[in-house]
C-alpha cells in the first residue's frame, strides 16, 4: 500500500478482503480500491470528517511531491483532514460533498489519485510503465555516461541531505545502473502504446486498465523465467505458504495463489515476488507494507493466467490475452477480442464458454511438438464443436464444425517463440510477425536492441558496450516496415527505445565497397563504425542529387574509394547523433553541398527528346563546378538540324552539347528534322579534333581530342555516343 493512514482507518480498509471465485476485473477493482487510497466503502466516513485530522499523511509541496526530512531522508508525517488528504492526492476538484456516495465520482478519484511518491491510480509508477512498454524514462548524463532516470524504491537514507537523485543498481537487471529520483517525476516520454501519449492519457480509466493487464503479463513472464532459472515449477511455487497475520492481527498461514502473487508483484516487483517464492524472502514497501500482506489480501481470484491445476480463466470487457491448457480449464473471455494462449499438456480438455469465431483466436505458442495442428480433427458434439490435436482437446461451446472449417486459421493457429539473449545468433525462416514472438531474456530491454535491414532479411540484434552486435535474430523475408512492438515478448521499456542501425564492418563496407541504405530514419538511425578507427576529420559527407554519400577524404582513403549512400537524405539533416564510434567532433567532417544551376532545355517542334529529361517547366537542375552534357536524341528517321545555346546558334551541331565547368544558368533549344541522324562516316585519313562526330559500323562516335587514323571502336581518343538512325 502506498498511502499511510491512522491505524483505525487501516483496519477499515483491510477488512475488505477479496471474494474468491471472481474474475480479473473484480481482482483489479479490489486492488484499485486498496492501492489508490480511495475506498467507496468509506464514503460516509469521508463526508463526516472533511475537516477532521483523522489521517496521518506525508507532507507534500504538491501532489506527488513529497517533502522529506533532510536528516533522515524519510517522509514527514503530519495530521491530515479528509479535505487536506484529497488535496494532497490531487483529487479535491473531483470530490463533490453534495454527492458523497456517487460511485462514478469515487471511480474517477481512484484513477486520478496521486500519492506522495508520485504513483497514480492503481499506484502506477514510472518503472512499471517502462516494463509494460508505455513509457521511456528521461535520459541524463553523469560524468560523461548516460543513464535512464526514474523512481525506484531505495532506502530512505539515500535521500539524506535533501538529495533528490542517486545512482543505483536496478534489482535483477544484471548490474544496470540508473539515476534514481526521490519521487516519480514523470519527466520521460509516453510512447503511444494503446493510445497513451501523455500523463493525462494515463489518467483515463480504460487506459489504466490496459496498462495493468500489460504490467501483469510482464510480471508473469519475469516470474516464470526466474522460477525456471531456480529450477522451480509453477506447481511448486503455488504450493508454498508463509506465516503471517490476518487483518485482525491473528496468526495465519499465507497461501500462494496466482492472483495473490500478481498483486505482490505489483507491490514489490516480479523480482521481489520471485525471491519470495524461491528464497522465502519477505520484503516490504516504503511504508512497511509487506509482500505477504498482498499475497493474502488478494488471493483466490480468477486471473488471465493458467496454473497447473484445473482453473477458471476469466477475462473482461477488454481485449485480453488469456492462458489455458494446464489441466482441464474453463475459459470465460468476458468480451473484447481475445487471444487464448494454449499451454501444451497431453490429455487436457479446455472448455471455451463464450468464444466468438472470427473475433477470438486460439494460439499454440512455443509448443515442443512439431506441427501440432497437422492432425487436427474438428467434430460437432452435443455442447458445440470439439477440436482435437496432439493429444489435447478444446471444446468451443455453442459453435459448429462448419464454422471452424470455414476458416480454421482464424480459429486456431500455431505461434513460435524465438529467444534473444546477450550472445548467440540464429536465422529464422517463415517468421510470422502477426503470431510469432521474439522473446527477451536476462533483462534485455528495447534500449539494448538494434534493428537493420539487409537485402534479404530484417535483423534484430543486441548491441554490446563496445558497439558490436554479437547476438542477433535474422528474420528472413521481413523488412523494417514489418517491425512492430507486438513482435516482442518480455522486452522491457518502450518500443521507441529500439534503435535503427547501419552496422559497418570490413565485410559490408570493405575496400572500394559501395553500400546503399534505402531506409534511413534520420531521427532514429545510427551509423555504427566500432571496427574502424575513423575520426570525423576523415569523413566527407556529400549531397548527390537527393542522396547523401559518405566517403573518406583523399588523404585518409589511401586509394579506398568506399561509398555509403543514404537514399533520400539531406546531408544537412545529419548530426553527431547519427554516428557512433567515430572520434573527434562532428564539425570536423567535410560537408560538401554542390551548387546547382538551372538549364532551360526544350525541343522546338517534334522529332526527338533531350537527356537528362527536363522537368515540367523544361528545366534541368545541373550540378555546377564540373562538366555537364546534354544529349539530343532523335526519333527514328530524324536528325539534329539546329542547336541554340543561350540564344546563339551552334555551328555544326552534334548529338550533344557540353558545358565545361558549369558556373551559371543557361538555355538550350534543339530542333530535329526528317533525315539521317548519322554524321559523316569515319575517314582514316581525315584529321579530327575534340567534339567532332563520325559514323562507324552504324554507331556515332565523338572525338575527345586530336585524332587521325585511330579506329573509333578501339577506344581513346574516341567515345561511343549513340547508335545512329
Amino acid at each position: 500500500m502506498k498511502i499511510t493512514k491512522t491505524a483505525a482507518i487501516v483496519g477499515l480498509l483491510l477488512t475488505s478482503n477479496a471474494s474468491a471465485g471472481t474474475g480479473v476485473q473484480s481482482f483489479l477493482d479490489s486492488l484499485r480500491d486498496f492501492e489508490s487510497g480511495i475506498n467507496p466503502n468509506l464514503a460516509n466516513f469521508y463526508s463526516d470528517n472533511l475537516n477532521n485530522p483523522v489521517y496521518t499523511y506525508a507532507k507534500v509541496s504538491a501532489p506527488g511531491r513529497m517533502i522529506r526530512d533532510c536528516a533522515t531522508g524519510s517522509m514527514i508525517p503530519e495530521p491530515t483532514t479528509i479535505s487536506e488528504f484529497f488535496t494532497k492526492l490531487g483529487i479535491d476538484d473531483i470530490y463533490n460533498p453534495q454527492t458523497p456516495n456517487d460511485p462514478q465520482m469515487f471511480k474517477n478519484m481512484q484513477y486520478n489519485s496521486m500519492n506522495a511518491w508520485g504513483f497514480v491510480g492503481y499506484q502506477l509508477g514510472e518503472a512499471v510503465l517502462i516494463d509494460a512498454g508505455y513509457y521511456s524514462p528521461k535520459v541524463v548524463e553523469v560524468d560523461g555516461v548516460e543513464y535512464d532516470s526514474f523512481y525506484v524504491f531505495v532506502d530512505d537514507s539515500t535521500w539524506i541531505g535533501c538529495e533528490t537523485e542517486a545512482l543505483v543498481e536496478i534489482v535483477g537487471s544484471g548490474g544496470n545502473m540508473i539515476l534514481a529520483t526521490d519521487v516519480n517525476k514523470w519527466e520521460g516520454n509516453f510512447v503511444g502504446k494503446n493510445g497513451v501519449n501523455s500523463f493525462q492519457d494515463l489518467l483515463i480509466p480504460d487506459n489504466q486498465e490496459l496498462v495493468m493487464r500489460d504490467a501483469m503479463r510482464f510480471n508473469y513472464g519475469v516470474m516464470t523465467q526466474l522460477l525456471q532459472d531456480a529450477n522451480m515449477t509453477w506447481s511448486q511455487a503455488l504450493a508454498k505458504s508463509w506465516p503471517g497475520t490476518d487483518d485482525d492481527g491473528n496468526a495465519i498461514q499465507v497461501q500462494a495463489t496466482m492472483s495473490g502473487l500478481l498483486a505482490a508483484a505489483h507491490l514489490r516487483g516480479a523480482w521481489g515476488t520471485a525471491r519470495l517464492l524461491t528464497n522465502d524472502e519477505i520484503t516490504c514497501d516504503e511504508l512497511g507494507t509487506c509482500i505477504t500482506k498482498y499475497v493474502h489480501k488478494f488471493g483466490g481470484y480468477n486471473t488471465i493466467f493458467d496454473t497447473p491445476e484445473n482453473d477458471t480463466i476469466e477475462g473482461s470487457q477488454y481485449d485480453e490475452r488469456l492462458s489455458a491448457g494446464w489441466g482441464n480449464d474453463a475459459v470465460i473471455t468476458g468480451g473484447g477480442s481475445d487471444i487464448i494462449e494454449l499451454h501444451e499438456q497431453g490429455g487436457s480438455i479446455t472448455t471455451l464458454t463464450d468464444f466468438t469465431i472470427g473475433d477470438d483466436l486460439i494460439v499454440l505458442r512455443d509448443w515442443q511438438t512439431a506441427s501440432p495442428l497437422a492432425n487436427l480433427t474438428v467434430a460437432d458434439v452435443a455442447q458445440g464443436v470439439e477440436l482435437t490435436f496432439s493429444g489435447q482437446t478444446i471444446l468451443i461451446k455453442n459453435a459448429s464444425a462448419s464454422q471452424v472449417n470455414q476458416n480454421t486459421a482464424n480459429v486456431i493457429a500455431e505461434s513460435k517463440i524465438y529467444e534473444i539473449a546477450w550472445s548467440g545468433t540464429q536465422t529464422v525462416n517463415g517468421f510470422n510477425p502477426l503470431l510469432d514472438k521474439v522473446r527477451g531474456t536476462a533483462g534485455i530491454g528495447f534500449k539494448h536492441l538494434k534493428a537493420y535491414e539487409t537485402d534479404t532479411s530484417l535483423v534484430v540484434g543486441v548491441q554490446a558496450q563496445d558497439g558490436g552486435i554479437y547476438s542477433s535474430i535474422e528474420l528472413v523475408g521481413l523488412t523494417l516496415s514489418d517491425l512492430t512492438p507486438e513482435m516482442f515478448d518480455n522486452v522491457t521499456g518502450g518500443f521507441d527505445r529500439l534503435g535503427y542501425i547501419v552496422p559497418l564492418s570490413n565485410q559490408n563496407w570493405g575496400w572500394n565497397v559501395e553500400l546503399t541504405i534505402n531506409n534511413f530514419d534520420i531521427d532514429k538511425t545510427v551509423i555504427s563504425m566500432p571496427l574502424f578507427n575513423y575520426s570525423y576529420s576523415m569523413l566527407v559527407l556529400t549531397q548527390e542529387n537527393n542522396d547523401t554519400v559518405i566517403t573518406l577524404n583523399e588523404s585518409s582513403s589511401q586509394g579506398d574509394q568506399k561509398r555509403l549512400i543514404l537514399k533520400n537524405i539531406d546531408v544537412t539533416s545529419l548530426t553527431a547523433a547519427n554516428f557512433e564510434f567515430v572520434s573527434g567532433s562532428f564539425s570536423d567532417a567535410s560537408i560538401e553541398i554542390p551548387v546547382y544551376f538551372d538549364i532551360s532545355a526544350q525541343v522546338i517542334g517534334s522529332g526527338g527528346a533531350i537527356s537528362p529529361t527536363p522537368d515540367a517547366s523544361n528545366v534541368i537542375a545541373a550540378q555546377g563546378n564540373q562538366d555537364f552534357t546534354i544529349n539530343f536524341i532523335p526519333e527514328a528517321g530524324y536528325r539534329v538540324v539546329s542547336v541554340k545555346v543561350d540564344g546563339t546558334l551552334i555551328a555544326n551541331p552534334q548529338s550533344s552539347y557540353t558545358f565545361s565547368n558549369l558556373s551559371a544558368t543557361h538555355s538550350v533549344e534543339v530542333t530535329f528534322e526528317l533525315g539521317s541522324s548519322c554524321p559523316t562516316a569515319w575517314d582514316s585519313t581525315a584529321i579530327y579534333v575534340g567534339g567532332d562526330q563520325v559514323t562507324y559500323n552504324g554507331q556515332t562516335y565523338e572525338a575527345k581530342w586530336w585524332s587521325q587514323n585511330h579506329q573509333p571502336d578501339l577506344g581513346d581518343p574516341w567515345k561511343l555516343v549513340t547508335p545512329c538512325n
Side-chain angles (χ1 to χ4, degrees), residues 199-218:
F199 182 80
Q200 289 303 312
D201 287 344
L202 181 61
L203 303 180
I204 297 173
D206 285 345
N207 289 346
Q208 281 195 36
E209 293 297 330
L210 295 175
V211 170
M212 283 299 299
R213 284 154 174 78
D214 285 332
M216 286 194 298
R217 279 189 280 270
F218 175 83

Side-chain angles (χ1 to χ4, degrees), residues 3-77:
I3 299 174
T4 185
K5 308 173 183 69
T6 62
I9 302 305
V10 170
L12 286 171
L13 288 174
L14 297 183
T15 55
S16 180
N17 287 323
S19 300
T22 54
V24 64
Q25 192 58 59
S26 296
F27 164 51
L28 291 175
D29 289 345
S30 179
L31 185 64
R32 189 179 64 254
D33 288 347
F34 192 66
E35 287 284 277
S36 69
I38 304 298
N39 192 328
N41 295 326
L42 299 178
N44 292 333
F45 178 86
Y46 295 148
S47 65
D48 292 342
N49 292 280
L50 283 176
N51 298 309
N52 295 326
V54 292
Y55 280 10
T56 298
Y57 190 68
K59 188 176 182 179
V60 299
S61 60
R65 293 294 185 265
M66 181 170 56
I67 300 174
R68 294 180 180 270
D69 184 337
C70 294
T72 64
S74 302
M75 74 171 189
I76 302 173

